[in-house]
Amino acid sequence: MDVRLLHADRLIGPRALPPNHDSLAFCDGLILGSGPLAELREKYPGASVERLAGCTLGPAFCDHHLHLDEMLQWAAAVDLGGCVDAAGIRTALDLASKGEGEEKDWLTAFGLDLNRFEGWGASPMAVLDQAVAARPVAVFSQDLHSVFINQRAAESAGIKNCPDGLLREEKCLPIREALPAPEGRDLAEALARIAGDLHALGIVAVDDMGGAAIHLRLHALDTAESLPLKITTSLHEADLYDTRLSDFKTGRRRGRLQDGPLKLFADGSLGSRNAFMLLPYQGSEDRGQLNYTKRHLAGLIRSARARELSLAVHAIGDAAVREVIGHLGPGDRMEHAQHMHKEDVARLAATGAAACVNPSHIELDWRSCEHVLPEGGLGAYPLAWLADAGVPLLFASDAPVMPPGPLAQVRWAETRQTKNGEPKDGWFAEQRMGRMQALRAIWPRGASLSSGAPADLLALSADVSTLPANELEEVQVKGLWLEGERQV
Ligand SMILES: [Zn+2]
């Protein structure tokens, strides 16, 4: 038995450990137990010891909701992050189209923040055609719920009846499908790059919400069993009818891949003004809408239950949240849970479902919410309500919507402020979370340092359970182990 000991300054985990436990023993990718170094040495004579001076050792982190395919595409796309008007888009695309790329090659752009964008001035298609006519162009909104296309893109993706070039929600699907997606060795290499970035943030596990397209390509890799990340994949509605996926079942594992939930989209997003609200948006009659008829949603959920699939239901508006709660049970998740009334928090807690929330998205919303939402955004990002009601919380970046960074999520959840301290006292300060509550939400569900748990471990340069919130993002990863194999 090849036992190894890691000896740090201290251990932290979701459950409190005796203060003299400063070391962990593991073997064959599994934790054997924790204790004082001398005790573990005695118990496992001959075990190798690695000293992690100055480090705090705990479970490695998880990003509970992201989109690997879009992360891969975004890496090679035009970044419209700072763009606020149509002229800016034209300039950025014009510049990019002068680079390499043939006529059939897509030109994609990501990161257009519709909360700050001043408008197209003409139809998006007219603007994009003017910028680039020779190649298909797709511009994704920051929240990924809207895509703007030129004429060439419509032709390439077989889209008819979209004269203005604006697509939303499921109408974006033909564009997503038309964009080239890496597979085989290209996918393995791209994934290794993404994994390197995630490891540097302490992440070894991710929940991908992109549906079966990436699930199938990941399972087709001959390295599927030894990926540099633990990846839980998902199904989308259309995947339910794909016979290649008939054995997909929540919880089924193959190496580091695991089948996850059926991902449904109850509504849209705040940025695209199609989150489903109980009251109309300010200055408008519109309050968004549910993406499904109630009957269709109930039918989908029946099929999920029959196939032993758990649910992950996207719900952002307070009306969408209220509708979705009625369908959830233990093992299910609500994604975003962004705007809620207190009585609905209690109803969600009673279902036993988890809430996967995005504290770092406060950065995208805190300025605009009070001008957009009815009631000035009350019940926005209700993190403390959810935590105090006992709803299991999972933090997620929704990358590439926002960059991954578990400790940044903790800072946002705790301070509800930008790094410069805006707004003063934090945005809806009563919803600030405690440190341990927040840390539990960046560890994988069921994470533990007990015997039998996977040796997915992280050594950090500081004790993140006590460090001031504004120093969390400076903490360095000093070591990262995936099933006992060192990655960093
Ligand atoms: Zn998402």
Side-chain angles (χ1 to χ4, degrees):
M1 205 164 70
D2 183 21
V3 177
R4 290 156 65 193
L5 305 182
L6 296 178
H7 173 44
D9 283 16
R10 67 192 73 71
L11 303 184
I12 55 167
R15 277 197 275 157
L17 294 157
N20 65 344
H21 281 210
D22 58 10
S23 300
L24 267 180
F26 67 91
C27 176
D28 290 336
L30 296 176
I31 292 174
L32 297 168
S34 66
L37 181 64
E39 227 169 72
L40 292 179
R41 271 199 157 129
E42 204 170 314
K43 196 165 174 188
Y44 304 105
S48 66
V49 181
E50 184 172 353
R51 170 82 183 118
L52 301 162
C55 290
T56 299
L57 185 66
F61 300 144
C62 178
D63 193 323
H64 290 280
H65 175 145
L66 47 65
H67 300 266
L68 287 171
D69 255 337
E70 270 105 354
M71 289 171 79
L72 296 168
Q73 285 160 359
W74 194 317
V78 180
D79 182 0
L80 293 179
C83 200
V84 294
D85 56 20
I89 293 181
R90 268 197 299 267
T91 312
L93 291 176
D94 193 45
L95 204 69
S97 66
K98 299 228 155 57
E100 50 192 272
E102 297 173 31
E103 290 207 347
K104 63 173 182 11
D105 290 344
W106 282 80
L107 188 61
T108 50
F110 282 88
L112 183 65
D113 182 352
L114 297 178
N115 284 326
R116 293 168 58 208
F117 188 56
E118 291 163 7
W120 292 87
S123 81
M125 186 170 277
V127 173
L128 295 176
D129 275 336
Q130 208 184 19
V132 182
R135 288 168 62 183
V137 174
V139 171
F140 286 79
S141 64
Q142 169 87 27
D143 60 30
L144 303 173
H145 283 259
S146 306
V147 186
F148 307 93
I149 57 171
N150 69 353
Q151 187 62 43
R152 229 8 194 279
E155 286 159 16
S156 264
I159 293 171
K160 300 192 175 75
N161 304 323
C162 179
D164 59 355
L166 162 61
L167 300 166
R168 274 191 186 152
E169 303 304 328
E170 76 280 6
K171 298 220 166 68
C172 306
L173 208 63
I175 298 294
R176 291 174 195 277
E177 284 169 356
L179 293 178
E183 52 188 316
R185 194 209 291 242
D186 290 343
L187 175 60
E189 283 174 7
L191 209 58
R193 279 198 301 278
I194 288 182
D197 294 343
L198 295 175
H199 291 165
L201 297 163
I203 299 168
V204 288
V206 299
D207 296 347
D208 180 83
M209 290 292 156
I214 188 134
H215 167 91
L216 289 167
R217 283 157 36 235
L218 286 169
H219 278 270
L221 289 177
D222 46 17
T223 51
E225 323 254 329
S226 59
L227 293 168
L229 289 171
K230 287 186 166 170
I231 305 174
T232 301
T233 54
S234 62
L235 293 188
H236 286 176
E237 177 181 358
D239 305 326
L240 288 172
Y241 316 103
D242 187 330
T243 50
R244 293 171 298 175
L245 297 159
S246 48
D247 59 349
F248 187 108
K249 195 161 102 181
T250 304
R252 184 188 68 149
R253 270 172 207 278
R254 179 185 155 210
R256 290 172 182 161
L257 293 173
Q258 184 172 255
D259 293 353
L262 173 67
K263 167 86 190 287
L264 299 175
F265 295 85
D267 68 343
S269 74
L270 204 62
S272 296
R273 302 285 184 272
N274 56 356
F276 181 37
M277 306 302 298
L278 291 167
L279 295 171
Y281 290 98
Q282 284 184 35
S284 147
E285 303 278 279
D286 187 28
R287 58 188 192 103
Q289 66 283 314
L290 213 55
N291 283 339
Y292 311 99
T293 62
K294 289 188 181 192
R295 196 178 147 160
H296 185 68
L297 181 61
L300 277 174
I301 290 169
R302 262 198 312 279
S303 336
R305 302 293 182 219
R307 286 185 52 176
E308 296 178 58
L309 300 173
S310 71
L311 300 172
V313 189
H314 166 117
I316 286 190
D318 55 357
V321 166
R322 185 164 285 181
E323 173 66 26
V324 165
I325 289 171
H327 297 284
L328 299 181
D332 294 333
R333 329 174 2 160
M334 179 182 287
E335 308 304 302
H336 311 300
Q338 198 169 297
H339 302 283
M340 291 181 77
H341 296 265
K342 198 157 189 189
E343 64 262 36
D344 291 322
V345 173
R347 286 177 62 226
L348 179 59
T351 66
C356 179
V357 295
N358 316 108
S360 66
H361 292 202
I362 291 174
E363 181 164 12
L364 300 174
D365 283 331
W366 75 270
R367 279 190 181 93
S368 60
C369 251
E370 61 182 302
H371 307 297
V372 175
L373 288 177
E375 300 166 41
L378 200 66
Y381 294 80
L383 303 179
W385 282 353
L386 288 163
D388 294 344
V391 176
L393 284 178
L394 310 168
F395 284 177
S397 65
D398 205 4
V401 174
M402 284 295 276
L407 291 171
Q409 301 286 356
V410 173
R411 181 181 66 74
W412 275 106
E414 190 173 315
T415 68
R416 299 176 70 98
Q417 283 180 326
T418 66
K419 271 193 157 173
N420 316 327
E422 285 186 290
K424 196 171 163 288
D425 301 326
W427 186 56
F428 297 112
E430 68 280 8
Q431 297 290 358
R432 287 185 304 217
M433 282 177 74
R435 179 66 57 86
M436 282 314 290
Q437 283 179 325
L439 284 174
R440 283 190 194 98
I442 59 172
W443 280 316
R445 291 197 84 173
S448 150
L449 297 180
S450 309
S451 168
D456 298 338
L457 299 168
L458 174 63
L460 294 171
S461 61
D463 181 357
V464 292
S465 65
T466 56
L467 200 68
N470 274 328
E471 292 172 31
L472 284 171
E473 282 157 272
E474 272 81 72
V475 171
Q476 288 167 16
V477 170
K478 295 290 188 183
L480 183 81
W481 294 260
L482 173 55
E483 294 172 338
E485 288 170 22
R486 190 151 188 171
Q487 312 287 321
V488 173

